[in-house]
Amino acid sequence: MKSETATEKPLCLYCLRPFEASPIRRIIEKDSFLCDECLSQIEYCEKIRKIDGINTLFLFKYKGLMKEALIQYKERMDVALRPLFLHFHQPILKLLFRKRLFVPVPSTAENMNRRGFSPLGEILENTASHFENILSLEGGIQKQNGIVDRHRKRHVSLLRKRSEISTDRIVLFDDVLTTGETFRQCIACLRQAGFLDIVGLILLDNHFDREIGFNL
């Protein structure tokens, strides 16, 4: 006789309701984390744009479920949500970015201490992607006359010597593009250090209305 535990349905990572994935979903996804209703709320972007000359792939629009999930993950420290962000694209990303080193866009020490974890590092670690934290971001969000100045006194630098890093082929990885200032600073820092083969990967595009496409 089967125990009740053995027959329990998994819980949706986002809404926490029990669900059962269809056979076709189980074949395609292997592990299903979202119920059908939550899955239907995801708005994909899947476009490539150039940012300071590098081809950058965007996966989702910055709206709906993925926007709320990212906020919950980063600001409410809900680390259990980390499988959501790269899970659906993992096979194609392994093909596109094979033999490349993922480099997360760094957070400030202030944000790292506040959250107690590295959001981008956790996502990459969960997907078993080869990544290294080789960039540092100094400075933080400041307010002046009630207005947030997000990039005042911020500076990106390389944490290690170029010769200590395993490859020239870089995937610069970020969660969301708003102004893109920090992402651009990271590109400039990597180029100055001698990395010339750089592509970008950004989870959520806050400018998804732009119709510009390129091939990686």
Side-chain angles (χ1 to χ4, degrees), residues 12-201:
C12 173
L13 272 187
Y14 188 73
C15 71
L16 300 180
R17 291 179 295 189
F19 75 101
E20 185 172 354
S22 65
I24 187 66
R25 280 191 63 190
R26 290 198 294 268
I27 292 171
I28 294 172
E29 298 174 32
K30 294 186 179 179
D31 297 310
S32 297
F33 299 113
L34 293 178
C35 66
D36 289 345
E37 183 177 345
C38 287
L39 186 64
S40 69
Q41 296 176 43
I42 293 177
E43 296 198 41
Y44 295 90
C45 182
E46 296 174 339
K47 292 184 179 179
I48 297 172
R49 301 208 315 266
K50 283 191 183 292
I51 300 178
D52 283 4
I54 77 164
N55 288 329
T56 302
L57 173 63
F58 295 85
L59 302 183
F60 306 100
K61 297 178 181 180
Y62 188 62
K63 63 188 300 188
L65 184 142
M66 294 306 288
K67 174 183 176 180
E68 296 304 318
L70 184 65
I71 292 170
Q72 185 169 328
Y73 171 65
K74 289 178 64 177
E75 302 308 324
R76 298 173 192 164
M77 283 66 83
D78 191 351
V79 183
L81 290 174
R82 67 181 186 171
L84 293 185
F85 302 105
L86 288 180
H87 172 69
F88 302 105
H89 296 88
Q90 223 170 321
I92 190 66
L93 294 180
K94 286 183 178 179
L95 179 64
L96 285 175
F97 299 138
R98 63 187 181 278
K99 297 183 180 179
R100 287 186 178 271
L101 175 68
F102 282 79
V103 173
V105 169
S107 297
T108 62
E110 177 186 4
N111 281 336
M112 288 286 290
N113 291 333
R114 177 173 59 85
R115 293 183 179 123
F117 73 103
S118 169
L120 295 179
E122 288 283 343
I123 291 171
L124 291 172
E125 194 170 90
N126 185 74
T127 62
S129 299
H130 179 39
F131 75 98
E132 294 183 35
N133 292 301
I134 63 173
L135 296 173
S136 172
L137 178 62
E138 298 176 2
I141 294 174
Q142 298 189 14
K143 290 186 178 180
Q144 186 175 21
N145 299 324
I147 300 174
V148 175
D149 185 354
R150 294 179 178 272
H151 311 293
R152 187 181 179 193
K153 297 183 179 178
R154 288 184 133 188
H155 175 68
V156 175
S157 59
L158 200 65
L159 288 171
R160 303 206 306 274
K161 293 179 180 179
R162 167 66 192 85
S163 58
E164 297 174 349
I165 298 166
S166 57
T167 181
D168 292 328
R169 308 185 71 205
I170 300 295
V171 181
L172 185 60
F173 177 57
D174 205 356
D175 50 15
V176 60
L177 183 83
T178 302
T179 67
E181 180 63 27
T182 303
F183 195 82
R184 290 183 173 90
Q185 286 187 37
C186 290
I187 295 171
C189 178
L190 290 168
R191 282 175 171 159
Q192 188 174 11
F195 296 94
L196 301 180
D197 189 355
I198 308 168
V199 295
L201 174 64

